[in-house]
Structures are given as structure tokens and as C-alpha cells.
Amino acid sequence: MPIHPADVSLADAYESDANRIVLADELGYSEAFIGEHQTCATEPVASPLMLMASVIHRTKNITLGSGVTALPMYHPAMAAATVAQFDNMARGRFIWGVGQGGLASDWEAFGVMDGQERNERMIESVSIIKELWTGTAPFHFTGKHYPFSIDETVNAELSIGQPIKPFQRPHPPIAATAMSPASNSVKQAIVQGWIPMSANFVPLSTVYSHWDKIVEGYGERGEEPTGENWRVARNVLVAPTDEEARERAFDPAGPNFHYFHYLWNLFYGLGAGAVMNGTGKDDADVTVDDLIEDMVILGSPETVARRIAEIRERAPFGTLLTTMLDGSNPAHEVYEQESMRLLATEVATRVDAPVGAAV
């Protein structure tokens, strides 16, 4: 996402995040997605593109992705220009994740509290941006939320009025996230030719329901279903032994505990505990330990590889995204880096198909 304690130095947090992406590249991870929030000190990345730009020349192979660009908070012309610029700077090592945004204070700040309106704005914005990327001025847009034109000031000889085009043509791959059970956004992603991405802070039952929607989407396209392009995010903790993994995961001072404590209080406080609660308990009785037990893939390399293979039997996803956790505590950061290394070097080789894991 990533998530950091609110009292951690932002300068240190951003440096830690960037260093983690560089390490992922060195270890052979395939992708790194960074989330976006404008009004949250605990999720402090206001511009994923800016953070990812800082590592373009420090990395060689890893594909960088927005996870996501919260389109209702942007004018489409601004989003089109900045994303196209980044795609050129990255020379196409980029996946454009799009969404409505996931933080109520962001919605309030930008005046988009209504869920239907956010969905409309996102869909309309993607349509406009794709036209800006592929078309030629003059432009006239008469949509419900973004009526505007680039017409009277166009100077074709000087290329004034011509939007920046992406490096990837006609545009970067588009990905869309989902966290609700049986989310229709997963189905629509397949229908649109986008990449579906399942959130990590949901029960596996939700992930499995997303596969059902992927099957429906391919059915509408008249194609055989495949999970090759499907990204599934999970918290993953690999340690030399099962016992060490459990000790680190359930440590009240550890990053997994902080992560789920933060998210549970956020969702439960909004009356949306059902998003995360797959424990079978009433929301009021759920503990952070319950959430870790339910949602973290943890253990030795052998145990984690077996668990991933078991999940893929029901949800045949192509790429595993593993959540980046806070690295402000040096001792915990050592464990996080060890987990990344073990996942890349010992877990992936044990899984029956290649797994590209991303921070």
C-alpha cells in the first residue's frame, strides 16, 4: 500500500519503500504496485508515480504499477498527462492501476462521497483518457462529469493542444482492484481486457468468488477462462521454520500486527467489518490474532509453497502480490527482507507454476 505508523518520519518511510522496490528488483520480483491516498498519515503516498519515478534508474527489470490512480480525484486531462509522462520515463515498465479510491477522507476532501458518482467518474475518466492518448486535437468531451474541450487554442504546427502520448501503444496495460465478494468489477475488468487484482485484506472466500466472476467475464467474451493475468494480493511471511514465522507474524510490535490492527479499526469503525471478517465470529469478537490467522500466508518455505499451491487449486491466479509492510524498525526490517528473499529463492521454485511476487 504501503502502511506506516503515523509517527514514523515520512522521509525515512519513503526511502524505505524505495529501497524495498530496489531489493525486489534485485531478487527477481516481477512487479511493484504502490497505493495512493491524499489525506492519510498512515498511508502517506500521495503520488505513486512520484515515488516510483525515484527508482526507475535504480532498477532494471521490475514493472512499476499504480495501485491505484484514484481517478475521481483527478481531472482526466491531468491524469492522462502525468501517467503518459511516467510511462515514457519508465520506457513502458508500467501497469496503470485505476480505481475509485478507497479512503473516505479522500472522498470528502474531493467532494465525491457518493459511491455511484465515483464509479461514474472513474468509467468516464478512463474513456476520456484513452481518447486523449489515441486521438488528435481538437477534442470535445460532453460527459456527465467532465465536459471540456481542447479546441480554440490548438496550434497543429506547434503541437499545442496535443496531449502527451504514452510510451506503450495504444496505452499501458490497465488494472482494476476489487475487495468485495463476487465483485462485478472483476467481471468487468475481464470484459474490458483489463487486469483484475484481488485485495490482500479480504478472506480467501472473497478471492475464490473473484475467480467465479473471472469465469463469467470470459464467458461474455466467448473465451475459455484463464487466471494468467489475475493478480492476487496476500500478506506473506516466510521464515526458516513455521515456529519462527508464527512468532514474527503474531508479535504485537511487528508490522503484520500493526497492519491488521490499523485496517480492522478502519473497516470496523466504518461498519464495514464484513469486508475483512472471514473468521466466522461476530465483528465485535474479532481480534487482530484472528485476522492474522485467517489472512496471512505464513510458515517455512515448504509450508508457504504448499499453501500457495492449495489456494491456486481453487483460484488459479497468475501473479502473487505480497504486501509491503513497514520497515521503520531495523529488527523487523531484517525479517521482512528475509521473507522476501525466501519467497523469491525457495518458495517460487517449489510452486508448480512461476509466481511473480510483488511488493
Side-chain angles (χ1 to χ4, degrees):
M1 291 171 130
I3 285 175
H4 299 283
D7 60 354
V8 167
S9 159
L10 284 181
D12 291 344
Y14 296 143
E15 183 177 0
S16 173
D17 296 340
N19 288 341
R20 194 79 69 82
I21 296 172
V22 173
L23 175 61
D25 182 58
E26 293 171 352
L27 292 172
Y29 282 60
S30 59
E31 298 168 1
F33 290 88
I34 298 293
E36 172 186 288
H37 292 300
Q38 284 81 20
T39 62
C40 184
T42 311
E43 300 180 62
V45 179
S47 172
L49 300 184
M50 188 181 298
L51 177 59
M52 294 187 300
S54 74
V55 301
I56 289 174
H57 298 298
R58 298 178 62 196
T59 57
K60 295 179 180 179
N61 300 305
I62 197 165
T63 295
L64 306 167
S66 56
V68 298
T69 301
L71 287 175
M73 289 52 147
Y74 291 85
H75 189 283
M78 177 62 76
T82 54
V83 170
Q85 176 183 331
F86 181 85
D87 192 43
N88 280 279
M89 292 173 65
R91 295 185 177 272
R93 276 199 288 139
F94 177 60
I95 295 173
W96 186 38
V98 301
Q100 302 179 28
L103 189 68
S105 60
D106 286 350
W107 303 338
E108 182 181 8
F110 289 93
V112 286
M113 291 295 287
D114 181 80
Q116 178 62 33
E117 179 185 349
R118 288 196 304 276
N119 187 58
E120 291 175 355
R121 283 178 177 269
M122 185 189 77
I123 293 172
E124 185 177 320
S125 186
V126 171
S127 177
I128 291 171
I129 290 169
K130 290 170 70 174
E131 188 170 341
L132 289 170
W133 283 344
T134 58
T136 303
F139 294 95
H140 297 273
F141 301 105
T142 58
K144 177 179 178 181
H145 299 286
Y146 302 107
F148 71 98
S149 63
I150 308 174
D151 186 356
E152 297 179 5
T153 56
V154 171
N155 184 321
E157 182 180 355
L158 300 178
S159 295
I160 293 173
Q162 302 300 336
I164 301 170
K165 307 301 184 186
F167 184 87
Q168 300 175 84
R169 303 297 176 90
H171 56 74
I174 299 175
T177 57
M179 64 180 183
S180 300
S183 174
N184 279 320
S185 63
V186 176
K187 175 182 175 181
Q188 288 307 309
I190 297 299
V191 172
Q192 294 284 344
W194 299 356
I195 297 167
M197 300 172 64
S198 299
N200 59 296
F201 47 82
V202 299
L204 281 172
S205 58
T206 296
V207 176
Y208 297 150
S209 74
H210 290 174
W211 170 243
D212 296 336
K213 286 296 179 180
I214 288 173
V215 172
E216 288 183 25
Y218 276 107
E220 285 201 8
R221 291 169 59 107
E223 301 174 10
E224 287 296 316
T226 173
E228 181 179 356
N229 287 330
W230 183 20
R231 273 71 170 167
V232 168
R234 306 308 291 171
N235 283 48
V236 182
L237 197 161
V238 194
T241 67
D242 290 349
E243 292 74 18
E244 289 173 281
R246 292 190 65 83
E247 181 179 349
R248 296 172 187 180
F250 291 94
D251 179 1
N256 264 290
F257 196 96
H258 172 264
Y259 182 91
F260 283 102
H261 178 269
Y262 165 77
L263 279 179
W264 178 248
N265 280 279
L266 173 64
F267 280 98
Y268 182 62
L270 293 172
V275 171
M276 297 181 65
N277 187 2
T279 67
K281 294 183 177 181
D282 291 337
D283 287 354
D285 298 325
V286 171
T287 66
V288 175
D289 282 0
D290 292 332
L291 298 171
I292 293 173
E293 191 73 61
D294 189 49
M295 283 186 275
V296 179
I297 301 174
L298 59 89
S300 66
E302 296 83 358
T303 298
V304 171
R306 183 177 67 251
R307 186 64 183 131
I308 291 171
E310 291 170 352
I311 294 169
R312 291 179 99 182
E313 290 179 1
R314 177 64 182 83
F317 59 87
T319 300
L320 171 70
L321 309 179
T322 176
T323 308
M324 182 192 295
L325 299 175
D326 176 68
S328 59
N329 183 310
H332 294 147
E333 179 62 8
V334 169
Y335 295 151
E336 289 301 310
Q337 292 188 17
E338 180 180 49
S339 181
M340 288 177 64
R341 289 190 175 92
L342 290 172
L343 183 60
T345 60
E346 296 193 31
V347 174
T349 56
R350 287 179 164 86
V351 179
D352 61 352
V355 177
V359 295

